[in-house]
Amino acid sequence: MNNYSLHKIREEYLNFFKEKNHLVRESFSLVPKNDKSLLLINAGMAPLKPYFIGTLEPPNKRMSTCQKCVRTGDIENVGKTDRHGTFFEMLGNFSFGDYFKTEAIDWAWEFMTEVLKISKDKLWVSVYLDDDDAYKIWNEKIGVSKDRIVRLGKEDNFWEMEVGPCGPCSEIYIDRGEKYSCGDEDCKPGCECDRYVEVWNLVFSQYDKDEKGNYNPLPNPNIDTGMGLERITAVLNDANNIFEIEPIITIINEVEKTANVKYGEDKKTDVSIRVITDHIRAMTFLVCDGVIPSNEGRGYVLRRVIRRASRHGKLLGIKGNFLNRLVDSVIDNWKEFYNELDDMKGQIKKIIKIEEEKFEETIDQGIEILKSYINEMKSNNETTLKGEKAFKLYDTYGFPLDLTKEILEDEDLKVDEEQFNKEMESQRNRARSARSSDGIEAWDANKSLDLDVGIKTEFEGYDKLSSQSKVLAIIKESQSIEKLSENEEGYIILDNTPFYGESGGQIGDKGTIENKYFTGSVYDTKRNNDRFLHLVKVNSGEIRVGDQVNALVDKSIRSDIARNHSATHLLHKALKEVIGEHVNQAGSLVTEDRLRFDFTHFEALTKEQVNEIEKVVNKQIFDSLQVEVLETSIDEAKQMGATALFDEKYGEKVRLVKIGDYSMELCGGTHINNVSQIGMFKIIGESGIASGVRRIEAVTGRKLYNMINEMENEINSIATILKTNKDNFIEKAKSTINEVKTLEKEIDMLKSKLANSKIDDLLKEVYKVDGINIITKKIDGMDIDGLRQLGDKLKDKTDNIVVVLGTEKDNKVNFIATATQDAVKEGIHCGNIIREVAKTTGGGGGGRPNMAQAGGKDPAKIQEALNKVKELVKEQLNK
């Protein structure tokens, strides 16, 4: 056998199929495009599914790839076994209605025996038990003897996922020799031992499995093959496992150096080394493909991988953050084939470092608490951690459940997951209840209404702002009624409307509905499936079901909303340009006053980035890009490269909003005709709203114009106060601040002199309690800073002293207490003294044994409060 390295096998494989007229394509992203059935790409054929089922035309009927894949279903076994990994590369050759079983089998045999030089005597094959065609090809055409062809059942030799292309398959096995055998005389492919290793799966895709489990024949049978790159490399090099091959072994070497341990000397240590080695590849490629750590979806997969690796680093004794440094080893060894790794290096390391730092803040505390739970369980002979405790770790300390489970498993313990889930649901219910009590969840326009199914609204608002309409229904307090009278409010459903119903982040239109017997103001418009509900307050007359009305949208408000909506599209594109392609929309709000855009990103934007985003958006506005709205199919829109929220439900026809050659998004909202109508764009806020999600708020058009006017008025007012003009007010403000600082220094000096002048008089008032010197005094007109200075000076003048001072200034009560170290050693605690003193005046406070301060509310009781000090000191000394 040729003991090729991993990179060499990849190169040989792709070149081989290129010579067989296959289009060799670079790996697709780990993030599925337009496929809701997958969280992450987990097989070589997954990105090609549309070509297999015929929804998209393939660029070539023959293709070959080396596809990046991530699977986390067996993540707990990673590092413990020789074969499990979260990240791997899958070699594959594919036919979309071109060649079928004969060519697929023939070329697979040719590659194995002539390119990799694997002895034919070492090769075995399996076929699906009913697949006589494949059996004949292997036996009669290729020449594999019957005793080396094994028929296996559906579990082993029928490839399928939950839905999608599937069919019988044939697998190629390599016999690794008797030293890996279980010893059974009947040992052959299908046995659980490590002698026969399956390296290549040839799937003959003849069916498309639907969601009901039906196997529908494909119009043209396809070929889908998969060979794990790491596994075939390990077999060719006779390595013990997928971790001990080039270049993966170089990562192990880096982990050894970082942890100062030796691989191969301790089984438990080896598990941690392999976990880190596997996970560092997974996290590097995931971040490179735009995944951001979060608490759900693929972001949670990444977070879990990073945190597992970080924890295993701690088990190896690694102090502090280390994962971002190991990223270099991955990039250096894979960048030749995946050059995007090098391009994204800085960002990859930054995201991983930030996530590891976040975990660092919680893991130590969480582990200590979990250890205490474990000790308690063992002392009580318990084997299951209560779900409430696991939930407290999660909810209070950010400690993930899977990490709790993993640590417990190391101790042969488990967690009550059912109770944990109940606690989680209770928390959700409390949150929902809180929202409801706050009035946030009022009547929901999206809930089912008891109306005739024929009551629907036709929306005409893209092209016009007024319409002649008929009242189909009236809703008040969730009930269908016949009329609304003067000063009453309710929802009116029309047969057609120019009013846009709230959806896609854009608020509903406002305006009026009227006829000669009635006038009503529309305060909001919502959607209920195919119905538009207009929230109307009747100003005069009454409106009845069946009435004909004029529906008039407020043009100025609609225009302001449209400006902000088009600006949102420009902002989305600008964020991708300035911050990176990993940015994706996570929510939005478009009103007449402002726009709000939530997006995936791992850290706060810098001032420079915010300025650059503004600059990019305004450039498009000043370039007067035309806004074009097209109606097309969802598949055509995707082929054109449109940005969309592909988790959203889209109909057969979609609206594609195209802004020049700059932006192209699927959108059902209303827009302006040319972005120059936006006027100008200004970001007024940038903040974080969740882990991995940031928010930008911005204004445009008239709102921005009004804001500029308000700012100018404020500047003029400030200039007037500073007795200067607006052109000079900044310099005047600076000089005024400097003057204030000079005066504050003079005041501090006067305070110090004032304190010094009182020291001698106060020292004459010292009295003793059980050997402790005490001074208590009310000082009029002094602030808390002056009081502290005076207390410190008194303390410096006398040994073994407690000083408690009170003051009233500007109708505010303040106390300080200070004590020398020798007094503290005797049992004095200023924090406890000041707390009780302040209570007398209706206040509170506390502090350290040698220094504390407090506030109060009743100046008349200052002296009464100070009189308590003597008894408080006595109590402390007696203790």
Side-chain angles (χ1 to χ4, degrees), residues 7-38:
H7 293 321
K8 179 64 175 175
I9 294 172
R10 184 198 298 114
E11 179 186 354
E12 291 291 334
Y13 182 90
L14 295 177
N15 284 339
F16 176 84
F17 281 99
K18 187 176 183 179
E19 291 174 0
K20 304 293 184 187
N21 298 317
H22 285 63
L23 171 65
V24 174
R25 192 200 184 282
E26 293 179 352
S27 172
F28 291 84
S29 169
L30 283 167
V31 178
K33 301 297 182 188
N34 317 328
D35 187 348
K36 299 177 186 177
S37 67
L38 287 177

Short mmCIF file of all heavy atoms in Angstrom, two decimals, residues 7-38:
data_model
loop_
_atom_site.label_atom_id
_atom_site.label_comp_id
_atom_site.label_asym_id
_atom_site.label_seq_id
_atom_site.Cartn_x
_atom_site.Cartn_y
_atom_site.Cartn_z
N HIS A 7 -3.23 14.69 3.08
CA HIS A 7 -3.31 15.67 1.98
C HIS A 7 -3.01 15.02 0.63
O HIS A 7 -3.60 15.38 -0.38
CB HIS A 7 -2.34 16.83 2.24
CG HIS A 7 -2.72 17.67 3.42
ND1 HIS A 7 -4.01 17.99 3.72
CD2 HIS A 7 -1.96 18.25 4.39
CE1 HIS A 7 -4.05 18.73 4.81
NE2 HIS A 7 -2.81 18.91 5.24
N LYS A 8 -2.10 14.06 0.62
CA LYS A 8 -1.74 13.39 -0.63
C LYS A 8 -2.90 12.54 -1.14
O LYS A 8 -3.19 12.51 -2.34
CB LYS A 8 -0.49 12.52 -0.41
CG LYS A 8 -0.03 11.76 -1.64
CD LYS A 8 0.43 12.69 -2.75
CE LYS A 8 1.02 11.91 -3.93
NZ LYS A 8 1.36 12.79 -5.07
N ILE A 9 -3.59 11.86 -0.23
CA ILE A 9 -4.73 11.03 -0.64
C ILE A 9 -5.83 11.91 -1.21
O ILE A 9 -6.44 11.57 -2.24
CB ILE A 9 -5.27 10.21 0.56
CG1 ILE A 9 -4.21 9.20 1.00
CG2 ILE A 9 -6.57 9.50 0.20
CD1 ILE A 9 -4.56 8.48 2.29
N ARG A 10 -6.09 13.05 -0.57
CA ARG A 10 -7.11 13.98 -1.08
C ARG A 10 -6.76 14.41 -2.50
O ARG A 10 -7.61 14.42 -3.40
CB ARG A 10 -7.21 15.20 -0.16
CG ARG A 10 -8.32 16.17 -0.58
CD ARG A 10 -8.17 17.54 0.02
NE ARG A 10 -8.23 17.57 1.46
CZ ARG A 10 -7.21 17.89 2.24
NH1 ARG A 10 -6.02 18.18 1.71
NH2 ARG A 10 -7.35 17.91 3.55
N GLU A 11 -5.51 14.77 -2.69
CA GLU A 11 -5.05 15.23 -4.01
C GLU A 11 -5.20 14.14 -5.07
O GLU A 11 -5.70 14.38 -6.17
CB GLU A 11 -3.58 15.68 -3.91
CG GLU A 11 -2.99 16.16 -5.21
CD GLU A 11 -1.49 16.45 -5.08
OE1 GLU A 11 -0.96 16.39 -3.96
OE2 GLU A 11 -0.87 16.73 -6.12
N GLU A 12 -4.77 12.91 -4.74
CA GLU A 12 -4.84 11.80 -5.68
C GLU A 12 -6.29 11.47 -6.04
O GLU A 12 -6.62 11.19 -7.18
CB GLU A 12 -4.15 10.56 -5.09
CG GLU A 12 -2.65 10.69 -4.95
CD GLU A 12 -1.93 10.70 -6.30
OE1 GLU A 12 -2.48 10.15 -7.26
OE2 GLU A 12 -0.83 11.28 -6.39
N TYR A 13 -7.15 11.50 -5.05
CA TYR A 13 -8.56 11.16 -5.27
C TYR A 13 -9.23 12.16 -6.22
O TYR A 13 -9.88 11.76 -7.20
CB TYR A 13 -9.29 11.15 -3.92
CG TYR A 13 -10.74 10.76 -4.01
CD1 TYR A 13 -11.14 9.44 -3.91
CD2 TYR A 13 -11.74 11.73 -4.19
CE1 TYR A 13 -12.48 9.08 -3.99
CE2 TYR A 13 -13.08 11.38 -4.27
CZ TYR A 13 -13.44 10.05 -4.18
OH TYR A 13 -14.76 9.70 -4.27
N LEU A 14 -9.06 13.44 -5.94
CA LEU A 14 -9.72 14.45 -6.77
C LEU A 14 -9.14 14.47 -8.18
O LEU A 14 -9.88 14.65 -9.17
CB LEU A 14 -9.59 15.83 -6.11
CG LEU A 14 -10.31 15.98 -4.76
CD1 LEU A 14 -10.06 17.35 -4.16
CD2 LEU A 14 -11.81 15.73 -4.91
N ASN A 15 -7.85 14.26 -8.31
CA ASN A 15 -7.24 14.20 -9.65
C ASN A 15 -7.74 12.99 -10.43
O ASN A 15 -7.97 13.05 -11.64
CB ASN A 15 -5.71 14.14 -9.54
CG ASN A 15 -5.12 15.49 -9.19
OD1 ASN A 15 -5.75 16.53 -9.39
ND2 ASN A 15 -3.91 15.49 -8.64
N PHE A 16 -7.91 11.87 -9.73
CA PHE A 16 -8.39 10.64 -10.37
C PHE A 16 -9.76 10.87 -11.00
O PHE A 16 -10.00 10.52 -12.16
CB PHE A 16 -8.45 9.52 -9.33
CG PHE A 16 -9.01 8.23 -9.84
CD1 PHE A 16 -8.20 7.31 -10.52
CD2 PHE A 16 -10.35 7.90 -9.66
CE1 PHE A 16 -8.73 6.12 -11.01
CE2 PHE A 16 -10.88 6.71 -10.13
CZ PHE A 16 -10.06 5.81 -10.81
N PHE A 17 -10.66 11.48 -10.24
CA PHE A 17 -12.02 11.67 -10.77
C PHE A 17 -12.10 12.86 -11.73
O PHE A 17 -13.01 12.90 -12.58
CB PHE A 17 -13.03 11.77 -9.63
CG PHE A 17 -13.37 10.43 -9.06
CD1 PHE A 17 -12.77 9.98 -7.90
CD2 PHE A 17 -14.24 9.59 -9.73
CE1 PHE A 17 -13.06 8.72 -7.40
CE2 PHE A 17 -14.54 8.32 -9.24
CZ PHE A 17 -13.94 7.87 -8.07
N LYS A 18 -11.16 13.76 -11.63
CA LYS A 18 -11.09 14.82 -12.63
C LYS A 18 -10.79 14.21 -14.00
O LYS A 18 -11.36 14.61 -15.03
CB LYS A 18 -10.02 15.83 -12.25
CG LYS A 18 -9.99 17.06 -13.13
CD LYS A 18 -8.96 18.07 -12.62
CE LYS A 18 -8.97 19.34 -13.48
NZ LYS A 18 -7.99 20.34 -12.96
N GLU A 19 -9.91 13.20 -14.00
CA GLU A 19 -9.58 12.52 -15.25
C GLU A 19 -10.75 11.68 -15.76
O GLU A 19 -10.80 11.33 -16.94
CB GLU A 19 -8.36 11.62 -15.03
CG GLU A 19 -7.07 12.40 -14.81
CD GLU A 19 -5.90 11.51 -14.45
OE1 GLU A 19 -6.09 10.27 -14.37
OE2 GLU A 19 -4.80 12.04 -14.23
N LYS A 20 -11.70 11.37 -14.87
CA LYS A 20 -12.91 10.65 -15.27
C LYS A 20 -14.04 11.63 -15.62
O LYS A 20 -15.23 11.29 -15.55
CB LYS A 20 -13.39 9.73 -14.15
CG LYS A 20 -12.36 8.72 -13.66
CD LYS A 20 -12.01 7.69 -14.71
CE LYS A 20 -11.05 6.64 -14.12
NZ LYS A 20 -10.54 5.71 -15.18
N ASN A 21 -13.66 12.84 -15.99
CA ASN A 21 -14.60 13.88 -16.45
C ASN A 21 -15.56 14.35 -15.36
O ASN A 21 -16.71 14.70 -15.65
CB ASN A 21 -15.40 13.39 -17.67
CG ASN A 21 -14.50 13.08 -18.85
OD1 ASN A 21 -13.58 13.84 -19.15
ND2 ASN A 21 -14.74 11.96 -19.49
N HIS A 22 -15.10 14.35 -14.13
CA HIS A 22 -15.89 14.90 -13.03
C HIS A 22 -15.51 16.37 -12.81
O HIS A 22 -14.33 16.73 -12.92
CB HIS A 22 -15.63 14.14 -11.72
CG HIS A 22 -16.27 12.79 -11.67
ND1 HIS A 22 -15.93 11.78 -12.54
CD2 HIS A 22 -17.23 12.28 -10.84
CE1 HIS A 22 -16.63 10.69 -12.24
NE2 HIS A 22 -17.44 10.98 -11.22
N LEU A 23 -16.50 17.19 -12.52
CA LEU A 23 -16.23 18.55 -12.09
C LEU A 23 -15.81 18.50 -10.63
O LEU A 23 -16.57 18.10 -9.75
CB LEU A 23 -17.49 19.43 -12.23
CG LEU A 23 -17.40 20.83 -11.60
CD1 LEU A 23 -16.37 21.68 -12.32
CD2 LEU A 23 -18.77 21.51 -11.61
N VAL A 24 -14.57 18.88 -10.37
CA VAL A 24 -14.06 18.89 -8.99
C VAL A 24 -14.37 20.24 -8.39
O VAL A 24 -13.90 21.27 -8.87
CB VAL A 24 -12.54 18.60 -8.95
CG1 VAL A 24 -12.02 18.75 -7.53
CG2 VAL A 24 -12.26 17.19 -9.48
N ARG A 25 -15.17 20.23 -7.33
CA ARG A 25 -15.58 21.47 -6.68
C ARG A 25 -14.99 21.54 -5.28
O ARG A 25 -14.85 20.53 -4.59
CB ARG A 25 -17.11 21.55 -6.58
CG ARG A 25 -17.61 22.93 -6.18
CD ARG A 25 -19.02 22.86 -5.64
NE ARG A 25 -19.55 24.18 -5.33
CZ ARG A 25 -19.25 24.88 -4.23
NH1 ARG A 25 -18.38 24.41 -3.36
NH2 ARG A 25 -19.80 26.06 -4.01
N GLU A 26 -14.64 22.78 -4.86
CA GLU A 26 -14.17 22.95 -3.49
C GLU A 26 -15.27 22.58 -2.51
O GLU A 26 -16.46 22.59 -2.83
CB GLU A 26 -13.76 24.42 -3.25
CG GLU A 26 -12.54 24.85 -4.04
CD GLU A 26 -12.21 26.31 -3.77
OE1 GLU A 26 -13.01 26.99 -3.10
OE2 GLU A 26 -11.14 26.76 -4.22
N SER A 27 -14.87 22.28 -1.28
CA SER A 27 -15.84 21.92 -0.25
C SER A 27 -16.87 23.02 -0.06
O SER A 27 -16.55 24.21 -0.06
CB SER A 27 -15.12 21.67 1.08
OG SER A 27 -16.06 21.49 2.13
N PHE A 28 -18.12 22.63 0.12
CA PHE A 28 -19.17 23.58 0.48
C PHE A 28 -18.99 23.98 1.94
O PHE A 28 -18.29 23.31 2.70
CB PHE A 28 -20.55 22.95 0.29
CG PHE A 28 -20.93 22.69 -1.15
CD1 PHE A 28 -20.51 21.54 -1.79
CD2 PHE A 28 -21.72 23.59 -1.85
CE1 PHE A 28 -20.86 21.28 -3.11
CE2 PHE A 28 -22.08 23.36 -3.17
CZ PHE A 28 -21.64 22.20 -3.80
N SER A 29 -19.63 25.05 2.32
CA SER A 29 -19.60 25.50 3.71
C SER A 29 -20.21 24.44 4.63
O SER A 29 -21.07 23.66 4.23
CB SER A 29 -20.36 26.81 3.86
OG SER A 29 -20.55 27.14 5.22
N LEU A 30 -19.78 24.44 5.90
CA LEU A 30 -20.39 23.57 6.90
C LEU A 30 -21.81 24.01 7.22
O LEU A 30 -22.60 23.23 7.76
CB LEU A 30 -19.55 23.57 8.18
CG LEU A 30 -18.27 22.74 8.15
CD1 LEU A 30 -17.39 23.08 9.34
CD2 LEU A 30 -18.58 21.25 8.14
N VAL A 31 -22.15 25.25 6.91
CA VAL A 31 -23.49 25.77 7.16
C VAL A 31 -24.36 25.48 5.95
O VAL A 31 -24.09 25.97 4.86
CB VAL A 31 -23.46 27.28 7.43
CG1 VAL A 31 -24.87 27.82 7.65
CG2 VAL A 31 -22.58 27.60 8.64
N PRO A 32 -25.40 24.67 6.11
CA PRO A 32 -26.25 24.32 4.96
C PRO A 32 -26.92 25.55 4.37
O PRO A 32 -27.33 26.45 5.10
CB PRO A 32 -27.30 23.38 5.56
CG PRO A 32 -26.74 22.92 6.87
CD PRO A 32 -25.87 24.04 7.36
N LYS A 33 -27.03 25.57 3.08
CA LYS A 33 -27.73 26.65 2.40
C LYS A 33 -29.09 26.14 1.91
O LYS A 33 -29.16 25.14 1.20
CB LYS A 33 -26.92 27.15 1.19
CG LYS A 33 -25.53 27.68 1.56
CD LYS A 33 -25.60 28.88 2.47
CE LYS A 33 -24.21 29.41 2.77
NZ LYS A 33 -24.24 30.48 3.80
N ASN A 34 -30.13 26.80 2.36
CA ASN A 34 -31.49 26.50 1.89
C ASN A 34 -31.94 25.07 2.23
O ASN A 34 -32.69 24.46 1.49
CB ASN A 34 -31.61 26.70 0.37
CG ASN A 34 -30.92 27.96 -0.09
OD1 ASN A 34 -30.87 28.93 0.65
ND2 ASN A 34 -30.38 27.93 -1.29
N ASP A 35 -31.44 24.53 3.35
CA ASP A 35 -31.81 23.18 3.75
C ASP A 35 -32.15 23.19 5.23
O ASP A 35 -31.28 23.20 6.10
CB ASP A 35 -30.65 22.21 3.48
CG ASP A 35 -31.04 20.76 3.73
OD1 ASP A 35 -32.12 20.52 4.31
OD2 ASP A 35 -30.27 19.87 3.33
N LYS A 36 -33.45 23.18 5.54
CA LYS A 36 -33.89 23.25 6.93
C LYS A 36 -33.75 21.92 7.66
O LYS A 36 -33.86 21.85 8.87
CB LYS A 36 -35.36 23.69 6.99
CG LYS A 36 -35.61 25.07 6.41
CD LYS A 36 -37.09 25.40 6.43
CE LYS A 36 -37.37 26.71 5.71
NZ LYS A 36 -38.82 27.00 5.67
N SER A 37 -33.52 20.83 6.91
CA SER A 37 -33.46 19.51 7.54
C SER A 37 -32.14 19.28 8.26
O SER A 37 -32.02 18.34 9.04
CB SER A 37 -33.67 18.42 6.49
OG SER A 37 -32.59 18.36 5.57
N LEU A 38 -31.12 20.10 7.98
CA LEU A 38 -29.80 19.89 8.57
C LEU A 38 -29.36 21.11 9.36
O LEU A 38 -29.57 22.25 8.95
CB LEU A 38 -28.77 19.63 7.48
CG LEU A 38 -28.79 18.28 6.78
CD1 LEU A 38 -27.74 18.25 5.68
CD2 LEU A 38 -28.57 17.14 7.75
#
